[in-house]
Amino acid sequence: MKNKILKDREEIEKFFIKLLGREIFISEMDVFASRCSCVGIMITVRGLFIDDVEIFKEKILNKLEELAKSYDIKPDWIFVRVLPGSDDVINIGVRELCNICREEYKFKKPRPDLISLKY
């Protein structure tokens, strides 16, 4: 499993570099399970901006959905987290929501630093 995660971290970094034509740094890619029973992937990124995500949204979504499925994660919610007060994307999240979170997020907007790409 660790070799798959290492390979996928490198692959997603190369994907963004090729897509944007400039250096993008993926310092970390985590596959996680939350106490509530959500599971997902969290990618820590530097050099990516909100405009990049908006312009290439469909390609990014396709790549993230493919990545999630390779870990048997249903990508219910795909989002980016921005550095407050800036256009810098600092995290990319893919989450299979548990029943509790699915109901909670249905009625409540997530934090202002989270921008949903797919819900």
Side-chain angles (χ1 to χ4, degrees), residues 46-94:
R46 296 296 177 267
L48 185 66
F49 301 100
I50 295 171
D51 287 347
D52 300 328
V53 174
E54 289 173 353
I55 291 166
F56 295 106
K57 181 179 176 179
E58 289 308 312
K59 289 182 180 183
I60 292 169
L61 282 174
N62 289 337
K63 184 65 174 177
L64 295 172
E65 288 171 343
E66 174 187 307
L67 178 65
K69 288 174 184 166
S70 78
Y71 288 93
D72 198 28
I73 294 169
K74 182 181 170 211
D76 296 322
W77 183 31
I78 299 176
F79 62 92
V80 296
R81 182 172 157 240
V82 296
L83 187 64
S86 80
D87 291 335
D88 296 1
V89 173
I90 55 176
N91 293 106
I92 302 167
V94 181

Side-chain angles (χ1 to χ4, degrees), residues 20-33:
L20 301 172
R22 66 171 191 272
E23 280 301 309
I24 300 294
F25 179 56
I26 305 291
S27 62
E28 193 172 317
M29 185 183 97
D30 303 315
V31 179
F32 69 87

